[in-house]
Amino acid sequence: MNQPSLRQLIDAGEGIVKADRIIRGGQLVNVCTGEIYPADVAITGDRIAATGDVAAYEGPDTEIVDATGKYLTPGLIDGHLHLECSKLSVTMFADAVVRYGTTSVISGLDQFLVVAGLDGVREALREADASPMKIFWGAPFKTPYTLPETTVGFSFGPEEHAETQEWAECFGVWETVAEFVLNRDEKVLRALELAHRNRLPIFGCAPMAAPTTINALAAAGVRLDHESYTAEEALMKLRAGMSLLIRESSVAHFMNENVRTVTEFGAQSRRVGFCTDDMHVADILREGHLDKLVRMAIKAGVRPVEAIQMATLNCAEMYRIDHLVGSLTPGRYADVLIVDSPESFQVERVFARGELVAEGGRTLNAPQAPERSAALSPAFQVAPVTADGVGVRAEGDSADVLVVEMDRTVPFVRKGVPMTLPVVDGTVRADTDRDALYVTVSERYGKNDGATVTAMINGFGLRSGAIASSAAPDDNNIICVGADRTDIALAVNHLSEHGGGQVVVENGEIKEFLPLPVAGIVSDLAPEEMAAAEDRLEAAARALGCELPSAFGFLIFLEITAIPEYAITDLGVVNYHTQDVVDILAPAAG
């Protein structure tokens, strides 16, 4: 991010340099004091020069923006976001959310990192600088996040922390998964010690955390957390001194539960912020982004000014970026929203870095994606998959198998159920009548010979065909669920041969295919095109029998090992509690 000199900021603040633009006639929502009052906003360059009576800042060339009868708020901040999970590039994701008032996000860009390394992260940060959306980057606590470690394109550890924590773009340590702290992982502890030495905040990830876990994380210096499954858990974290991010994503809906910390339990709202974590573009275009969360909080009983604070200053303060964003005050980036009222919070115009970038729910300039380097175009190195290569080897006519069982409401939660399944020609077979399907993970980086492993899964409901994705945190190997082994082989091979994407296959035919050519995980499609593609993919998955809220929303998270009970990675089925690969032919229900 470009930084004006201190002299330039002082000159602008004193009015020696006249404002480029003045927003006049609005009611200013002052998130620092909780007041709403008439005030104009003077903008010089990309920063706010003054608010209130700004007549002294007006010059002969100053543009006047009329906001009579409207309200002025800071741009909204998404406190924890894997923007790659939108399947949009940085440029296109910015186009999708800026129109709804999101002008800043905090992200580890961890999916770019595991595929394309530090060069990929640098490229994404440069891309953000050319967009109307700022990325405040946190260096991931390590990669891969998985326990035990899975295969990724780039591993990130203490040596990389020593380098990147010195970057001007680094604002903390991202997504510190609780288990690595509890395990006293030496590499992770060294990264956190570096952060303490560099006075960088540590961002946590502690779902379903016990009180002792919360205490240990607080003692380690974890400043905030975005993974609370109940309001009681959220309140424990607040009481332990952490700040709380309430998550409302496309697949994890926790706003109404966790906002109870404020509306029912009486916790002060100033240490509570918002995040979306993972969003489908179709949902953004239908419902909005952070502006939706503001409206949800107000509907749940939060005062409008407090809800706006949660989406702006609160988040900025917990990340220690409030000197740059989060309030309409001198020296901050001129990210200004003109809204109809604090109560209904409909964003009408958006200024980012001092420029009008969106109006009436549309961005004003067509996004232009940059040229891509080789770092973001790595070849897939998956060994060709055959139908005979899909399956779990077993003896006899049947086998007792530990089948991974999906939670039908939250895709991150997966238990295990024992099932007796047929064995044909030495291979455990799917049973669609009981919704016992194949699930495969194919290693894409060629470090483990591009091998494919198979397990069994319940919950997707496919009666035929297969669905697959190469966008699959935390390692972005190819994940596939299917009822037919031939269709699974076709789906995986198709993604590998075409540089990544998402696909639906049935009876040997490609029903839908969404290419994701940028690192095999995102695309430069316009948001509206991506939303249409998402809808087509989901419709095709439903036609196969899937009744989950989002077939691909549930599919892509199967490789995450940081949440109980089971995950499927390129190593096999992983038990969260033992943090090890389990023998699924010796099942014990989770």
Side-chain angles (χ1 to χ4, degrees), residues 120-178:
V121 170
R122 283 285 202 191
E123 195 165 328
L125 290 171
R126 287 194 299 270
E127 191 174 344
D129 281 343
S131 83
M133 180 193 75
K134 288 170 284 298
I135 293 178
F136 292 91
W137 183 67
F141 76 102
K142 71 165 296 197
T143 66
Y145 296 163
T146 44
L147 281 170
E149 285 195 4
T150 53
T151 309
V152 293
F154 183 83
S155 296
F156 189 84
E159 293 75 18
E160 290 75 22
H161 270 279
E163 173 188 347
T164 58
Q165 287 190 28
E166 299 292 333
W167 289 6
E169 299 92 341
C170 183
F171 289 88
V173 175
W174 164 270
E175 191 91 69
T176 307
V177 173

Side-chain angles (χ1 to χ4, degrees), residues 77-271:
I77 305 170
D78 193 325
H80 183 95
L81 176 69
H82 301 268
L83 64 85
E84 303 99 316
C85 288
S86 71
K87 302 183 293 295
L88 289 179
S89 64
V90 172
T91 298
M92 297 304 169
F93 184 82
D95 186 65
V97 300
V98 166
R99 65 185 76 182
Y100 300 109
T102 301
T103 53
S104 297
V105 303
I106 292 89
S107 181
L109 299 173
D110 41 7
Q111 306 311 307
F112 284 125
L113 180 65
V114 297
V115 174
L118 294 180
D119 288 342
V121 170
R122 283 285 202 191
E123 195 165 328
L125 290 171
R126 287 194 299 270
E127 191 174 344
D129 281 343
S131 83
M133 180 193 75
K134 288 170 284 298
I135 293 178
F136 292 91
W137 183 67
F141 76 102
K142 71 165 296 197
T143 66
Y145 296 163
T146 44
L147 281 170
E149 285 195 4
T150 53
T151 309
V152 293
F154 183 83
S155 296
F156 189 84
E159 293 75 18
E160 290 75 22
H161 270 279
E163 173 188 347
T164 58
Q165 287 190 28
E166 299 292 333
W167 289 6
E169 299 92 341
C170 183
F171 289 88
V173 175
W174 164 270
E175 191 91 69
T176 307
V177 173
E179 283 65 40
F180 289 84
V181 177
L182 299 181
N183 292 348
R184 279 70 166 176
D185 184 290
E186 285 298 326
K187 291 183 178 181
V188 173
L189 295 187
R190 284 168 58 195
L192 301 189
E193 287 166 351
L194 277 172
H196 289 310
R197 190 178 312 157
N198 292 326
R199 297 181 176 86
L200 291 173
I202 298 167
F203 322 147
C205 174
M208 306 179 194
T212 52
T213 297
I214 294 170
N215 293 336
L217 295 175
V222 172
R223 183 175 175 84
L224 56 93
D225 185 83
H226 72 286
E227 284 271 12
S228 294
Y229 279 59
T230 67
E232 289 78 10
E233 178 187 0
L235 184 62
M236 282 195 294
K237 291 170 181 174
L238 285 168
R239 286 175 171 173
M242 295 184 191
S243 291
L244 170 69
L245 287 166
I246 297 177
R247 175 175 61 179
E248 181 70 20
S249 76
S250 286
V251 293
H253 305 287
F254 289 108
M255 170 64 78
N256 290 333
E257 170 63 23
N258 287 336
V259 79
R260 294 173 52 224
T261 55
V262 175
T263 59
E264 293 183 26
F265 298 164
Q268 294 184 5
S269 63
R270 285 286 280 110
R271 287 179 44 245

Side-chain angles (χ1 to χ4, degrees), residues 4 10 36 51 58 64 71 107 179 227 230 249 323 340 354 387 421 471 500 502 505 515 535 540:
I10 295 170
I36 299 177
T51 65
E58 184 177 345
I64 304 300
Y71 292 78
S107 181
E179 283 65 40
E227 284 271 12
T230 67
S249 76
H323 61 299
D340 62 341
L421 297 176
Q502 294 185 330
V505 175
D535 287 344

